[in-house]
Amino acid sequence: MASARARSQRSLNVWPGYVDALATLLLAVVFLLTVFVVGQFFLSQELTGRDAVLNRLNRQIADLTDLLALERSGRRAQEEAAAGLRNTLTATEAERDRLRALADANEAAQGKSADVDAQLAAERGATLRAQNQVELLNEQIRALRRQLAALEDALAASESRDRESQARIAELGSRLNVALAQRVQELARYRSDFFGRLRQVIGSRTDVRIVGDRFVLQSEVLFAAGSAALKPEAEPELDRIAGAILDIAREIPADIPWVLRVDGHTDARPIQSAQFPSNWALSAARAIAVVQYLRTKGIPPQRLLAGAFGEFQPLDSGTSDEAYARNRRIEMKLTER
């Protein structure tokens, strides 16, 4: 019983503490809720104030943006106005310079007015003198025209005489051609007589022959190989030829310009020595030697002509010794100067 009473007392003593603890906890919870509510209130107030400040700042920013746009627009307008003013200023300065130049020119013209009047008077005097000179020149031109007419008449007469002279010249030319033809025929006749007498002189010799209108002697008859000195045995042949030429020369009229042409020829084999550097030199020396000998026999030197052809006028194009011998020759031809 006593133990039951004691348990009952212990159980009754727990509840007040428990209640106190619960009350304390409840008070703490209420305090915390109160603090939270108060904090929420102040936080909402702070946020509301911040939103208001932010809205106000946004409005200010918008206002500043509008002001900046207006400022930019105003600046562009001012720049355009300034550019227009600069252009206007430039045009104004140019016009000012032009007007100043006109004013200067006007002043200079006014200053030169007296000089211009003096020059005008001088020009009038010069014009009068020029008119007088023009009259004088006109008179001279008329005189020149009269002289020109006289010269034209003289020229016409001269042309008439010239035509008559040309007709006479043509007639004289025709007569001269006829006379030359007669002379040529006469020379041809004497040439024929010359060759006839030469045929009698040479007889049947094979190393001396007549080819066309030329009298041909082989070089071996007159010269040693590679030499331009006449051989002693060549002199009788040349003496007979000179005698025939002199006989014919006495018959040829003095007004026929005949010459005896002596041409030297060699074969194609080259020669080169101190005395004869080429076949041309050898052929020329041989022709000159014959001409000089004929002169000693009484043939006038003005009737003698020496020519040289070297190896460039061959009679035979072969390369045998016989062909070379035929090409080495002295040719004589009675022809005109």
Side-chain angles (χ1 to χ4, degrees), residues 130-145:
Q131 289 176 353
N132 295 332
Q133 291 179 357
V134 168
E135 291 295 332
L136 180 60
L137 290 174
N138 289 333
E139 183 63 28
Q140 292 176 354
I141 289 172
R142 287 191 289 269
L144 289 174
R145 285 177 178 173

Side-chain angles (χ1 to χ4, degrees), residues 23 32 40 53 56 70 83 108 142 146 160 175 230 251 268 271-272 303 310 318 323:
L32 290 174
Q40 285 292 108
V53 171
R56 185 171 67 254
L70 291 175
R142 287 191 289 269
R146 290 192 294 270
S160 178
R175 292 180 181 178
L230 288 170
E251 299 177 7
I271 182 174
Q272 187 173 6
R303 300 295 184 182

Side-chain angles (χ1 to χ4, degrees), residues 150-304:
L151 289 175
E152 288 177 351
D153 295 337
L155 181 60
S158 176
E159 288 177 351
S160 178
R161 290 193 299 271
D162 185 54
R163 285 191 295 268
E164 294 176 358
S165 299
Q166 288 179 356
R168 292 179 181 177
I169 290 172
E171 183 180 358
L172 291 174
S174 178
R175 292 180 181 178
L176 180 60
N177 290 332
V178 172
L180 289 175
Q182 293 175 353
R183 293 299 184 187
V184 170
Q185 291 175 358
E186 291 180 5
L187 184 61
R189 179 172 61 83
Y190 293 121
R191 184 185 298 121
S192 178
D193 294 342
F194 172 67
F195 285 121
R197 296 187 184 185
L198 287 179
R199 285 189 180 93
Q200 294 176 1
V201 170
I202 64 175
S204 60
R205 293 187 58 170
T206 59
D207 53 357
V208 181
R209 63 188 186 280
I210 295 175
V211 180
D213 61 348
R214 293 165 295 170
F215 178 63
V216 181
L217 296 89
Q218 296 306 125
S219 294
E220 285 75 7
V221 176
L222 304 176
F223 304 99
S227 172
L230 288 170
K231 296 191 297 185
E233 56 268 27
E235 294 180 0
E237 298 293 337
L238 293 177
D239 291 343
R240 288 193 289 271
I241 294 172
I245 294 172
L246 289 173
D247 291 341
I248 295 296
R250 283 191 288 269
E251 299 177 7
I252 300 175
D255 56 348
I256 295 179
W258 68 274
V259 292
L260 180 67
R261 175 171 170 174
V262 180
D263 293 330
H265 297 266
T266 66
D267 57 33
R269 290 176 294 187
I271 182 174
Q272 187 173 6
S273 63
Q275 186 178 5
F276 305 114
S278 67
N279 284 329
W280 229 335
L282 176 60
S283 62
R286 286 178 171 179
I288 292 172
V290 173
V291 165
Q292 289 175 341
Y293 184 83
L294 293 175
R295 180 185 179 185
T296 63
K297 295 304 176 181
I299 299 176
Q302 63 270 21
R303 300 295 184 182
L304 294 171

